[in-house]
Amino acid sequence: MSDIEEAITRVHQDEWARVVASLTRRFGDLDIAEEAAAEAFASAVQRWPADGVPPNPGAWLTTTAVRKAIDRIRRENKRDDKHKEAQMVYDNSPAEPLGAIDDDRLRLIFTCCHPALAMEARVALTLRMLGGLTVPEIARAFLVPATTLEQRITRAKAKIKAARIPYRVPSAEDLPGRVSGVLAVLYLVFNEGYLATGPDTDPVRHDLTAEAIRLTRLVRALLPQDGEVAGLLGLMLLTEARRTARVSASGELVTLDQQDRGAWDKALIAEGHRLVRERLAAAAAGVAPGRYQILAAINAVHTSARDIRDTDWSQVIALYDQLVHLDSSPIVALNRAVAVAELDGPEVALAAVDRLEDKLAGYHAYHATRADLLRRLGHSEQSRAAYDKAIELAGNTAQTANLTRRRDQLR
């Protein structure tokens, strides 16, 4: 890629959500905001190679997108709607109070996570609008066809428009009803950054993980007593602390047991552990932990061990047993089986994994886990077949490189 192409890619990662959020605030229409932002980036692709990257790319894109949006409104509005058009384009009415936290992207999340929308639609729409993720990327996160995901997003946008859902952070009494959807979105944005699902992106996207952490900190400022907000922030910090050790210089994913623990970010680990201890104290006082708090505690066990051999696997399994009561998804069961393999052996774990085949046959991590367990049991041919299936389904280049090397090492 040329320097200009690299700059455009970087600016897209940095500025997409900001531009979309800014346009949504001004025009109150998600379709207009998204399409105008896309047109502005298309203009950048055409003009920047000749004109150079502007000093403030975000401002250039926002200004260009606003013009594109106004042009679209003028084209689409009928003659009878001219007064409405003038109001939308040249609205001088006082701005709505922004509340305690003035952040366009956070308000966009709360708009997309309105309780009138189904939870799956909330998450999918916000990933598209805020994360700038493609429909195929989001579909892979949901393990559904891209056409299904596209329909969910389209219906969600239409419902927001028809119901006139306001673009704002809700009032204090409305926050508890919205926060679960917001946390689900932030977690998926973080996961897409931590291990990108697309083959044409960087395997680890720090822009997404950093933005997810930033927004989760803002939500924590809104709800400082909410245990799940604290749990999600702790989970993100403990996971992000390992980011620089997860991909080798050759571009291969480095699994937890092979990572250089000296390269982990000690400050993030310390902050994450403080949040976990805070939630453990609440649990001791009788406040039952939620899903994110348990996941953060599992990561705290991993990041407390100086070596993979020092990991307290019995504690990890006990935490997964708690999690299963809250989230009985097959992915949780798969992750628990990985821990079981370390405590009870690969044969016991393989039996648990095989029971998940009908639910996870299209998920690369299921086949990668089976391949590793079969390798440890000495079943090389079966392991090779499982690795082949995992490689076929993996979208991330770093994952593919790791799986290919492991398969090729089989005798």
Side-chain angles (χ1 to χ4, degrees), residues 13 189-210 239-248 251-254 259 395-399:
Q13 293 176 347
V189 170
F190 181 86
N191 282 345
E192 179 62 29
Y194 189 64
L195 191 61
T197 57
D200 301 322
T201 61
D202 291 335
V204 175
R205 290 185 55 183
H206 179 53
D207 60 307
L208 289 183
T209 59
T239 308
E240 177 73 357
R242 307 197 300 267
R243 175 175 54 85
T244 57
R246 295 191 70 244
V247 178
S248 69
E252 180 181 326
L253 183 71
V254 181
Q259 287 176 19
N396 186 292
T397 55
Q399 282 178 315

Side-chain angles (χ1 to χ4, degrees), residues 117-410:
L117 304 176
M119 180 63 77
E120 290 176 338
R122 297 182 214 177
V123 175
L125 179 61
T126 313
L127 287 173
R128 179 74 195 103
M129 302 302 293
L130 186 93
L133 306 184
T134 65
V135 169
E137 285 173 338
I138 305 169
R140 282 193 290 269
F142 277 93
L143 304 181
V144 298
T147 52
T148 301
L149 214 291
E150 183 73 68
Q151 290 168 358
R152 288 180 189 172
I153 292 173
T154 300
R155 286 195 296 266
K157 285 181 180 177
K159 192 159 189 175
I160 284 175
K161 193 170 185 177
R164 300 180 180 273
I165 290 173
Y167 173 70
R168 62 177 176 82
V169 174
S171 58
E173 57 269 22
D174 294 329
L175 281 172
R178 303 273 193 101
V179 74
S180 61
V182 170
L183 296 184
V185 165
L186 292 173
Y187 185 40
L188 282 174
V189 170
F190 181 86
N191 282 345
E192 179 62 29
Y194 189 64
L195 191 61
T197 57
D200 301 322
T201 61
D202 291 335
V204 175
R205 290 185 55 183
H206 179 53
D207 60 307
L208 289 183
T209 59
E211 179 67 356
I213 290 171
R214 186 187 76 83
L215 290 169
T216 304
R217 289 190 188 280
L218 290 181
V219 177
R220 180 158 163 77
L222 284 171
L223 296 167
Q225 303 304 316
D226 190 297
E228 281 293 81
V229 177
L232 179 58
L233 180 58
L235 171 60
M236 288 180 176
L237 295 175
L238 293 172
T239 308
E240 177 73 357
R242 307 197 300 267
R243 175 175 54 85
T244 57
R246 295 191 70 244
V247 178
S248 69
S250 62
E252 180 181 326
L253 183 71
V254 181
T255 53
L256 181 63
D257 58 312
Q258 299 293 321
Q259 287 176 19
D260 174 10
R261 298 185 176 220
W264 291 355
D265 189 314
K266 294 179 177 58
L268 291 181
I269 289 174
E271 185 180 359
H273 283 183
R274 283 196 299 273
L275 288 166
V276 170
R277 286 195 298 271
E278 171 190 312
R279 299 319 308 161
L280 288 174
V287 180
R291 175 172 177 255
Y292 298 118
Q293 294 168 70
I294 296 172
L295 286 170
I298 291 170
N299 275 266
V301 175
H302 286 303
T303 50
S304 296
R306 288 181 292 182
D307 186 272
I308 190 70
R309 292 167 295 188
D310 299 329
T311 304
D312 187 345
W313 291 108
S314 61
Q315 187 177 5
V316 171
I317 292 173
L319 288 166
Y320 270 118
D321 288 341
Q322 289 186 55
L323 184 59
V324 166
H325 289 295
L326 298 174
D327 182 358
S328 59
S329 73
I331 293 178
V332 170
L334 179 67
N335 291 334
R336 182 185 182 279
V338 173
V340 167
E342 301 302 324
L343 195 65
D344 298 330
E347 190 170 4
V348 176
L350 182 61
V353 170
D354 283 343
R355 289 194 291 270
L356 303 172
E357 181 177 9
D358 60 330
K359 297 176 181 176
L360 294 179
Y363 184 43
H364 80 275
Y366 164 77
H367 297 282
T369 302
R370 283 194 78 246
D372 183 61
L373 295 172
L374 288 164
R375 176 187 59 80
R376 292 166 64 177
L377 290 167
H379 304 317
S380 296
E381 289 306 312
Q382 291 175 274
S383 178
R384 183 182 301 278
Y387 274 125
D388 286 340
K389 188 63 177 177
I391 291 167
E392 175 191 332
L393 293 171
N396 186 292
T397 55
Q399 282 178 315
T400 302
N402 176 268
L403 293 168
T404 301
R405 180 180 60 79
R406 286 174 174 260
R407 180 199 62 188
D408 293 347
Q409 287 177 339
L410 290 170

